[in-house]
Every structure is written in C-alpha cells, then in structure tokens.
Amino acid sequence: MRLSLRFFADRRLQLLVLLSAAVCGTAHADALADLRATLQRLSVDTPIHGVLDVRMQHLDQEEYDDQVPPGHLRLLIDAGDGLGIRLEPGQLQAIDQEQKAHDADSNQATPDTDLVRIAGPVEVGHLLAEGPALLELLGGATEPVVQPDTLDGAPAQQLTVQIPILTNRKYSAYAYGYKGSVVLWLDAQGLPLAYQRNFHAKFCRFFLCITVNEEYDAKLKVVDGRLVAVSASDEFRQSGLGQGSHTRTDYALQLDSASAASH
C-alpha cells in the first residue's frame, strides 16, 4: 500500500505539535520550580518595623436594615524572629467602649473588635513573610501556564497555577464545584511583584448549602531578603441558609525609613 506525501506531512505536523506542547509544558513546570527556589531565598527573617493600616467594610449593606460601620485599625508592627503587634492606646480605649456598648445592647455593631480577630497574628504574619506563605500556598500547585503581561505599565511574566482546596479534610468532603487558582506577576529576574488568589466552592450537607467566593490581591516588596506585602485586599462573599455577607478588607503597610531603605 502506498502512503501519500500528505500522510507523512500530516504525521510530521502532529509530531511537531506534540513536541511543542511537551517543550511548553516543561518550560512552564520549570517556571514554577524556579519560583519556588526564589521564594526559598526570600524567606529571611529580616527585622522590619512599621505601621499596618487595616480597614474592613461591608459591601452588601443595602440588603439589610442594620448598617455596620467600617472597621479601622492601626497596628504597630515589629517582626524578626517573632512577631509583635501593638495597638495605640487611644484605639484600645475605643475598642473597650465599643465592646461595653455591645454588652449593654447586643444590636450594637463591633466593627473594630471584629477586625482585631480578622487581622490576627496568623494573617499579619503571612503579610510580613510572604516567602513562606506563598511556598505553602503553592505546595500542591498544578497546571502552570506562563505568558507575557504587564503590571503597572511595566513588562512582567504572568504565571497561573491551579491549587487544591485550602481547608481541612472534614470540610473538603462537603465541597462541590471547587475552583482555586493563583496568578503571579514576576519581573525579568523571576522576583514576584504581585499575586492574586481566587477561590470558589459550595459546601453542602444534606440539603443545606453555603457558597463561598474569595478574591485576594497583594502587591509585594523585597526587604533585604524578606518578601512582604506592602498592600493587600481580601474580598469575601458568602451566601446560603437564608443569609449572606460581602466584605472587603484592605491592608496597607508603611515601613519605617530603616526598613524601607533596605530593599
């Protein structure tokens, strides 16, 4: 049986496509491996000091009769081998008064008190040590895709990965329709400049369901070998069981002159 030249051309084209896909897949995997190696180097416990401004607002207030005022904290930060978080004396007094008002009338909102729980040591610690935090986040990352992009008008490399569900086994057993991804923007040397984390899932048990969506954005800076988030925004939506909430929490880190000068 004779095989036409077209058959060989088609087979050659298929082999070229498969080879190209394999090369691209290897390059993308290498980009993820290189990023992990970079994050290892950016996990230094360099001492830093500054002020972390935290604000939270409820974005779904028109749906409810009770209006919740925005929360606001100014946290004095000292980080090195450990983490120190202090509140200014005036803010401590305001939180104390807020809690007393709530004790007298449970309908009184406690936005600053609630924000103290949200912006706790774990959350603040991640902001000030993004190297280890991102390494943990990318531990189970798959399907890396690399493409050129821009960030704040400058050329950048965009790396997108899929991540496994970030909750314990007890709750992940009830998750449906899960989608989780991380998009990172890297400079020409492979240093992370910013990242975005997206999460969607519906948790159901029997006929009771809760839907959760989260979008987290952070801008990054290297301070003498330590990767920190100088700003971040966490938008969180939850609905189900006849209730819902939509909040946005913004973080802005102002480093003192000594820390800021060491990047």
Side-chain angles (χ1 to χ4, degrees):
M1 178 184 295
R2 283 189 168 184
L3 297 178
S4 67
L5 291 176
R6 181 173 179 177
F7 171 83
F8 287 109
D10 289 344
R11 292 292 293 172
R12 184 178 181 182
L13 178 60
Q14 292 173 10
L15 288 173
L16 286 173
V17 170
L18 291 173
L19 179 60
S20 175
V23 170
C24 288
T26 301
H28 295 179
D30 288 345
L32 180 56
D34 290 344
L35 174 61
R36 286 176 173 145
T38 299
L39 292 173
Q40 288 279 6
R41 296 195 300 271
L42 299 179
S43 298
V44 181
D45 288 334
T46 304
I48 56 174
H49 314 279
V51 177
L52 181 63
D53 191 271
V54 189
R55 298 174 185 268
M56 186 181 73
Q57 56 182 321
H58 291 259
L59 304 180
D60 54 353
Q61 306 242 38
E62 68 278 0
E63 301 177 16
Y64 305 99
D65 296 331
D66 297 330
Q67 299 294 301
V68 180
H72 180 214
L73 295 176
R74 278 175 56 84
L75 305 177
L76 307 179
I77 301 298
D78 292 292
D81 293 336
L83 173 63
I85 304 175
R86 292 182 293 128
L87 284 170
E88 296 172 337
Q91 190 146 47
L92 282 172
Q93 294 173 5
I95 291 174
D96 183 55
Q97 293 173 359
E98 182 182 271
Q99 190 61 53
K100 287 179 179 177
H102 179 74
D103 291 341
D105 179 3
S106 60
N107 291 320
Q108 291 291 324
T110 56
D112 291 349
T113 305
D114 295 340
L115 196 50
V116 169
R117 289 190 285 267
I118 293 172
V122 174
E123 182 66 25
V124 174
H126 285 175
L127 292 169
L128 302 178
E130 285 285 8
L134 278 172
L135 276 172
E136 182 179 358
L137 180 63
L138 299 175
T142 59
E143 304 176 43
V145 175
V146 180
Q147 60 185 14
D149 199 359
T150 60
L151 181 68
D152 297 331
Q157 185 183 60
Q158 185 189 97
L159 172 62
T160 303
V161 296
Q162 306 304 309
I163 56 173
I165 190 166
L166 302 175
T167 187
N168 61 41
R169 190 174 300 175
K170 175 182 176 181
Y171 295 110
S172 62
Y174 306 115
Y176 300 88
Y178 166 76
K179 295 179 182 178
S181 64
V182 175
V183 183
L184 302 106
W185 286 266
L186 315 174
D187 68 8
Q189 287 72 45
L191 293 175
L193 304 170
Y195 75 95
Q196 180 182 95
R197 182 184 75 233
N198 295 284
F199 173 94
H200 167 82
K202 178 181 285 189
F203 297 90
C204 296
R205 189 171 187 184
F206 303 115
F207 299 104
L208 306 176
C209 295
I210 296 176
T211 300
V212 175
N213 292 277
E214 184 180 24
E215 182 176 301
Y216 182 92
D217 295 91
K219 292 289 185 68
L220 307 174
K221 181 178 183 178
V222 178
V223 180
D224 198 15
R226 183 183 189 120
L227 187 65
V228 302
V230 291
S231 65
S233 174
D234 188 7
E235 190 163 342
F236 186 84
R237 296 180 179 87
Q238 180 176 304
S239 61
L241 306 180
Q243 297 182 337
S245 65
H246 182 186
T247 61
R248 176 184 170 118
T249 307
D250 294 297
Y251 304 85
L253 176 64
Q254 180 64 51
L255 296 170
D256 66 13
S257 57
S259 297
S262 62
H263 66 282

